[in-house]
Amino acid sequence: MSTKALVLSSVLVAIPVFISYKDKLDLEKDIIFSMIRAIIQLIIVGYLLDFIFGLENPIYTIILILLMIFNAALNTKKKEGGIDNQLLISFISILVGTSITMSVLVLSKAIEFTPSEVIPVAGMVVSNSMVALSLAYKNLISTYKNNRTAVEVKLSLGADIKDASQDIIRDSIKISIMPSIDSAKTLGIVSLPGMMTGLILGGTSPLIAVKFQIMVTFMIISSTSLSVMIATYLSYKKFFNSRKQIKS
């Protein structure tokens, strides 16, 4: 794609900006800021990846993935504050989910342990886990707030904090994973996912692109499920004090 074509395609952003301004939605600043930030971040990442791809050193690849995981964990903290040690919980959860998923992919030779293959795939795993964790935290915070009385009743009847929280834990995990499951249900019918589309545009056979997309679907559902389950089970205890009472 030429730079001229890229600049011309930016006209597409002007459409929602104009509609927002005309209907007084007050979204134009957010849209413009997000686009500028995305451009800057992508340019920086582009040069960084070009440098790392040239080195082909596994240490730099691992360091970059750890930075991605930390930034994703930090993002969940920004979106949903209110849980003690949320940053650490998010980092551990995403790290474990990503490590297990990437290890299976590399050991099964689905991908090679090279920067050009590991980093883009890890990026998809980490970003999807981040979104799922944000949903889990949001649901935990709101549900404990709205169901405080029900949890306290269970505790007063002798239930442990885990038993009293079981319904909340179960619902939070299900709500957080469902977007990934629903997305998998519509693949090929409603949408052609980004990786598959990119491979086809790059000249890859559609059948080969389908195989890669199936792999991506497996890894996203696996990593998001693992990350959310770990984060939820590490988080629910933070809503109680040492006397097993819900914090105010």
Side-chain angles (χ1 to χ4, degrees), residues 8-148:
L8 290 174
S9 67
S10 66
V11 175
L12 294 171
V13 180
I15 298 173
V17 170
F18 174 75
I19 294 173
S20 174
Y21 176 76
K22 182 176 179 295
D23 292 343
K24 295 181 171 57
L25 300 177
D26 198 28
L27 291 172
E28 53 270 22
K29 290 182 180 179
D30 289 331
I31 295 173
I32 293 172
F33 176 75
S34 66
M35 289 299 98
I36 293 174
R37 179 174 173 174
I39 291 169
I40 294 173
Q41 289 176 171
L42 286 171
I43 290 173
I44 293 173
V45 169
Y47 280 108
L48 181 61
L49 290 178
D50 188 56
F51 173 73
I52 293 176
F53 287 0
L55 294 176
E56 294 189 356
N57 190 319
I59 295 177
Y60 293 108
T61 301
I62 293 171
I63 291 173
L64 183 58
I65 293 173
L66 289 174
L67 288 174
M68 290 163 60
I69 293 172
F70 177 78
N71 188 51
L74 194 61
N75 233 8
T76 64
K77 176 64 177 176
K78 288 180 180 178
K79 291 180 180 179
E80 294 298 335
I83 299 178
D84 294 339
N85 298 320
Q86 186 173 317
L87 176 59
L88 179 60
I89 290 172
S90 297
F91 183 81
I92 292 172
S93 303
I94 299 175
L95 177 62
V96 173
T98 302
S99 299
I100 293 175
T101 303
M102 296 302 298
S103 296
V104 171
L105 292 177
V106 172
L107 291 174
S108 65
K109 299 190 181 299
I111 61 172
E112 297 293 330
F113 193 81
T114 58
S116 59
E117 292 193 25
V118 170
I119 293 174
V121 172
M124 286 186 282
V125 170
V126 172
S127 62
N128 280 276
S129 297
M130 176 189 70
V131 174
L133 257 60
S134 295
L135 288 174
Y137 293 139
K138 182 177 182 179
N139 188 71
L140 281 172
I141 293 170
S142 62
T143 308
Y144 270 111
K145 181 179 179 180
N146 297 332
N147 295 273
R148 181 187 184 95

Side-chain angles (χ1 to χ4, degrees), residues 161 237 240-245 247:
I161 60 173
K237 296 180 182 178
F240 300 88
N241 59 28
S242 58
R243 295 189 297 274
K244 297 184 179 181
Q245 298 171 325
K247 295 179 181 178

